[in-house]
Each structure stands twice: as structure tokens, then as C-alpha cells.
Amino acid sequence: MTRRLVILLALLLLVCAGEARAQRGLSSTVVPADAPLVTDLSAHLIAITSSFTGTELLLFGSVDEPGDIVVVVRGPSGPAIVRQKKREAGIWLNRSPLRFEGVPAYYAVASTRPLKEVASPNLLARLQIGGENLRFRFANPSQEPDTSPHRAAILRHKALGGLYREETSVVFLGPKLFRSEISFPSTVPVGTYTTEVYLIRDDRVIAAQSTPLFVDKQGIEQEIFDFSRREPAVYGFIAVLLAVTAGWAAALLFRR
């Protein structure tokens, strides 16, 4: 009960802030006070530290029109290489590597109902909602083979690591207020994320809103990461020196 009260107060503050900013006319990116969809996150920064074991963010909002809510969180996109295992002479070997571009490092979907009940396959494909609708670009489109098994392998591998997920976790607290918790594993990569929220009714997007989310290293981890980028040769030498020193110390300890 106390948690629900906190969420309701946060929503009221969000609406009031939107009205104040709209009256001041700060920028075109501010959501109008009379918008049919208003959303926000409990935090816009996930700090990666040495004690980070994963976290959950709360997405909350309000709607002025009926419909289904679909939340899509996309991480930074990059390349992915998929290799197919083949058995040769009784040994399993990695063969037929394929390189894909535009693969999100993190992808999560939360909705009020199963996606197939919310919108048609055409609309879901156009908005790239759902893992099967993500458009992975093959590196050599002129020689593209049947990449269906490789695409399925990417989705399966990401899902096993907790980086791809689809859940019906959007819950309405009343006729207008809704909430959803978004989980991030300890292996979540750093970068800039986008949180897209759609209000869908009768197979049409009634309203949509996009909010940035940042995942970054903090503290000593950030300093080490920056140093490795600035001085890669020195960083590599120090890493090798520490490994040799640790091995020598362990050998000396066990010998005694």
C-alpha cells in the first residue's frame, strides 16, 4: 500500500512538472500537459560499480485515452558474429560464421497483454516490437544465405543472458495510472538506451513517447576504463605485470 502511494505521488509530481514546463515553453521536446500519454523513469542513469549485481527501474505514467501500453527498451546497437557448429570427423567445430550489424545489446518489451493481442503483425514489424521483428542487417546482403537459424541463435543467446526479454508486466493501478518494472542484469553493457512507450488502440498508435536512459561506469571502474582507452599499451603492460606478480606470489605462498 505504501509503495502504491509513492507511485501515485510521483505521477502527480510528473504531471504538475509537465504543466509548469509547458507554461514556460522550455522546448519542443517537453510533453504537453494535455498529451494523452505521459511517462517517466524512476532514474535515468544506471551506475556500474564493483558491487553492481543488476538492478530494476520503475517506469510509470498516465493516459487520458483507453488502449494498451507497450514499453520497448533498446540498448546500443553493434555487430554480432554467429557461428554454426558442425560435426566433422567426430569433432564439433565452429563453421559458417555470419556477421550481423545493428544488433541491440539489450532489448526488453513489456506490455499490458500479449503482443499478438495488442496489435497486428504488420504494426509490430513496422515498429520493431518483439524479438522476431528486429531487423538485423547481414554484413554481405548481396550474398545473404538463409540466416533464420543464425538470427534465432542471437535471440536465444541474448535471452539466456537476460539481455532480451518479453513480458506482460505493465499493470494499471487505476483507469489512467500504470507502472512497469524493467530488469537489467549484471552484464548489461554501457551506452545510451532509449525507452519507448506506445499507447495502441484498434491497431493504431494513439500516442508515443521516447525517454533516454544512460548506463555508465562510475568510480574506480570508470577511471580504469578511461585509462585503458587513453593508454592501451601502458594498460596492457600493467595488466601483464599484475598477472605475473600474482602468479609468482601464489607459487611462493604454496611452496612455503
Side-chain angles (χ1 to χ4, degrees):
M1 189 66 182
T2 303
R3 190 174 184 181
R4 177 171 294 186
L5 180 59
V6 172
I7 295 173
L8 293 176
L9 291 176
L11 288 170
L12 291 176
L13 291 175
L14 173 65
V15 174
C16 293
E19 292 178 353
R21 288 180 294 184
Q23 292 175 358
R24 292 196 300 266
L26 290 179
S27 68
S28 58
T29 59
V30 175
V31 179
D34 58 348
L37 175 65
V38 180
T39 66
D40 202 357
L41 293 168
S42 57
H44 291 269
L45 173 65
I46 297 178
I48 305 296
T49 63
S50 58
S51 59
F52 180 76
T53 58
T55 186
E56 289 187 350
L57 292 185
L58 175 65
L59 182 142
F60 53 91
S62 64
V63 293
D64 287 337
E65 298 186 18
D68 286 289
I69 298 296
V70 178
V71 179
V72 181
V73 182
R74 308 174 193 266
S77 299
I81 299 178
V82 183
R83 297 175 177 85
Q84 185 175 6
K85 285 186 176 294
K86 292 185 178 180
R87 190 170 184 176
E88 297 182 3
I91 302 176
W92 289 96
L93 301 174
N94 291 326
R95 299 297 187 189
S96 305
L98 295 182
R99 179 185 176 92
F100 293 87
E101 302 289 345
V103 179
Y106 177 90
Y107 182 81
V109 177
S111 56
T112 51
R113 294 187 295 163
L115 294 178
K116 62 181 181 180
E117 300 178 9
V118 172
S120 66
N122 291 334
L123 180 60
L124 296 176
R126 179 164 60 86
L127 299 176
Q128 296 191 60
I129 298 178
E132 67 279 4
N133 295 317
L134 291 175
R135 303 189 191 110
F136 302 154
R137 300 188 303 275
F138 185 55
N140 299 315
S142 60
Q143 303 175 355
E144 182 171 0
D146 180 15
T147 60
S148 299
H150 298 78
R151 295 174 185 269
I154 293 177
L155 298 177
R156 183 171 60 255
H157 177 73
K158 294 284 190 179
L160 289 175
L163 296 173
Y164 279 24
R165 59 180 68 231
E166 296 182 17
E167 302 172 336
T168 55
S169 58
V170 178
V171 179
F172 271 90
L173 305 177
K176 295 185 177 182
L177 307 180
F178 65 89
R179 65 184 293 273
S180 178
E181 291 184 353
I182 307 170
S183 299
F184 296 87
S186 59
T187 56
V188 61
V190 299
T192 302
Y193 291 59
T194 57
T195 304
E196 304 165 354
V197 184
Y198 299 93
L199 174 60
I200 299 178
R201 185 178 71 244
D202 298 331
D203 203 31
R204 293 188 303 113
V205 177
I206 305 302
Q209 185 177 347
S210 179
T211 304
L213 172 64
F214 304 96
V215 179
D216 199 5
K217 297 180 182 292
Q218 299 290 323
I220 187 63
E221 291 80 7
Q222 180 64 41
E223 296 179 5
I224 295 176
F225 178 79
D226 293 339
F227 177 76
S228 66
R229 294 299 181 90
R230 293 194 308 267
E231 303 289 345
V234 178
Y235 175 79
F237 175 77
I238 294 176
V240 173
L241 182 61
L242 288 176
V244 172
T245 303
W248 173 81
L252 182 62
L253 179 64
F254 283 107
R255 182 182 304 172
R256 290 183 178 179

